[in-house]
């Protein structure tokens, strides 16, 4: 009963954060980017251009349709839980985008203000959704797939690379150079805010954990996170008890999973998370590729 209650509480918290992120992202599209002919990358950007070209396909619905094939791939590669969280973010943000376009006043002021405030709002929304293991679909999901291949590259940078292709096409659709240039500013701002929200501006984390469930937790970290673990001999200064301390380097998006895993197994564990400016070695960026 306790486990089910904890699972429901966890999903309720994730749903709340993903919903808040979806609201912010939908406002960014409906109030800032779409009314100002800015394709903010991703499938949302493609849907925005389709809406502009034919003026009858709702942006949110089109985004949902475009995501269907990619979600099948994500289900196989990234798992059922990721798919569920992605569907939450995708469906909520897509529905709200179409609703907000009907009822929210569009911003038609200075284009740079559009880029900065719209980009910041989009980055906040994406960051909140990504921080809970979901995406808004499209290139967010594609970036997650690419991240499994290159885990050392921040997901915000992967989004920037993928979205650049959409921006290039927008120059042809809008038939003007200004729109893609503004879109670049929009995406850069969004990327910076996304990385700040998801990673706190850091490249990596180092966890140091003291727990009475050390053997079991060590196995879970290696099996579920696919991360190596180093066991350090330690002695309590007060008790004098000798025990093993877990030392583990994890990527930024794995921090929440590691915390939950640790305190799920041992509520009385001692958990320290340290910032790491750079992590090199097996499973991370090789030293020769960092120079």
């Amino acid at each position: 009963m306790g486990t089910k209650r904890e699972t429901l509480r966890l999903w309720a918290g994730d749903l709340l954060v993903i919903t808040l992120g979806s609201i912010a992202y939908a406002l960014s599209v409906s109030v800032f980017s779409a009314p100002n002919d800015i394709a903010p990358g991703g499938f949302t950007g493609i849907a925005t251009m389709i809406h502009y070209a034919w003026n009858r396909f709702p942006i949110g619905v089109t985004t949902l349709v475009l995501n269907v094939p990619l979600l099948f791939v994500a289900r196989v590669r990234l798992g059922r839980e990721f798919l569920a969280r992605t569907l939450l973010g995708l469906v909520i943000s897509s529905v709200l985008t179409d609703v907000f376009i009907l009822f929210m006043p569009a911003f038609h002021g200075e284009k740079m203000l559009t880029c900065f405030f719209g980009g910041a709002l989009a980055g906040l929304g994406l960051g909140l959704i990504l921080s809970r293991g979901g995406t808004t679909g499209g290139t967010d999901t594609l970036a997650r797939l690419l991240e499994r291949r290159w885990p050392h590259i921040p997901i915000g940078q992967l989004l920037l690379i993928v979205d650049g292709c959409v921006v290039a096409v927008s120059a042809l659709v809008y038939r003007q150079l200004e729109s893609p240039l503004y879109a670049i500013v929009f995406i850069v701002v969004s990327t910076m805010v996304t990385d700040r929200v998801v990673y706190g501006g850091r490249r990596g984390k180092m966890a140091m954990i003291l727990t009475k469930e050390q053997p079991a937790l060590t196995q879970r970290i290696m099996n579920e996170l696919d991360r190596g673990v180093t066991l350090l001999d330690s002695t309590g200064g007060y008790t004098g008890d000798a025990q093993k301390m877990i030392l583990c380097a994890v990527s930024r998006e794995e921090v929440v999973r590691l915390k939950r895993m640790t305190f799920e197994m041992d509520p009385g564990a001692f958990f320290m998370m340290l910032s790491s400016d750079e992590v090199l070695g097996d499973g991370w960026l090789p030293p020769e590729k960092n120079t």
Side-chain angles (χ1 to χ4, degrees):
M1 179 65 70
T3 302
K4 289 184 177 180
R5 184 176 301 172
E6 180 65 20
T7 300
L8 289 175
R9 186 191 66 81
L10 177 62
W11 268 97
D14 290 345
L15 176 60
L16 175 61
V17 175
I18 289 174
T19 300
L20 292 174
S22 299
I23 292 173
Y25 186 79
L27 284 172
S28 172
V29 176
S30 59
V31 175
F32 291 98
S33 61
N36 290 281
D37 298 338
I38 295 175
F43 282 8
T44 301
I46 297 174
T48 300
M49 289 186 285
I50 292 175
H51 177 74
Y52 172 84
W54 284 278
N55 197 29
R56 59 179 176 179
F57 297 104
I59 295 175
V61 173
T62 305
T63 302
L64 280 173
V65 173
L66 291 173
N67 271 281
V68 172
L70 192 59
L71 290 178
F72 278 110
V73 178
R75 168 64 182 87
V76 176
R77 297 291 183 88
L78 300 177
R80 182 181 302 173
E81 184 173 347
F82 174 84
L83 179 63
R85 295 173 189 271
T86 293
L87 282 173
L88 277 176
L90 174 61
V91 172
I92 295 174
S93 63
S94 297
V95 170
L96 289 179
T97 295
D98 288 343
V99 171
F100 289 158
I101 286 177
L102 293 176
F103 299 105
M104 294 294 294
F107 178 80
H108 290 290
E110 171 60 42
K111 279 290 187 74
M112 288 304 294
L113 290 178
T114 298
C115 295
F116 280 109
F117 285 96
L121 200 57
L124 173 63
L126 285 173
L128 290 174
I129 294 170
L130 291 169
S131 70
R132 291 303 176 126
T135 74
T136 57
T139 53
D140 303 339
T141 304
L142 182 58
R144 282 285 190 182
L145 293 170
L146 294 175
E147 188 182 35
R148 294 176 68 87
R149 176 63 180 83
W150 297 291
H152 56 278
I153 303 177
I155 194 168
Q157 291 184 16
L158 288 172
L159 286 170
L160 185 61
I161 294 170
V162 176
D163 289 341
C165 299
V166 177
V167 171
V169 175
S170 72
L172 302 176
V173 175
Y174 293 118
R175 298 180 181 177
Q176 55 174 305
L177 189 58
E178 285 187 355
S179 288
L181 290 178
Y182 282 124
I184 291 173
V185 177
F186 189 102
I187 293 171
V188 169
V189 173
S190 174
T191 298
M192 293 173 62
V193 176
T194 297
D195 278 346
R196 179 65 61 177
V197 173
V198 177
Y199 307 137
R202 303 174 186 80
R203 288 190 52 123
K205 297 287 188 178
M206 181 175 67
M208 302 177 71
I209 307 170
L210 286 171
T211 172
K212 61 185 179 182
E213 300 294 337
Q214 175 267 312
L217 180 59
T218 296
Q219 287 300 315
R220 285 195 65 180
I221 293 173
M222 292 190 294
N223 293 337
E224 297 181 26
L225 296 183
D226 196 24
R227 293 297 184 191
V229 172
T230 299
L231 300 178
L232 305 178
D233 292 325
S234 62
T235 303
Y238 179 77
T239 64
D241 294 337
Q243 59 181 310
K244 297 290 186 181
M245 174 184 287
I246 296 175
L247 176 67
C248 180
V250 295
S251 60
R252 282 75 56 191
E253 66 274 11
E254 291 169 339
V255 170
V256 174
R257 292 177 61 193
L258 180 59
K259 283 182 183 178
R260 290 173 177 171
M261 189 183 299
T262 299
F263 291 107
E264 174 186 304
M265 298 185 67
D266 182 9
F270 189 74
F271 187 101
M272 292 178 288
M273 184 62 65
L274 308 177
S275 298
S276 179
D277 292 332
E278 193 171 43
V279 183
L280 305 176
D282 188 23
W284 299 85
L285 180 64
E288 65 274 12
K289 292 186 178 181
N290 191 55
T291 57

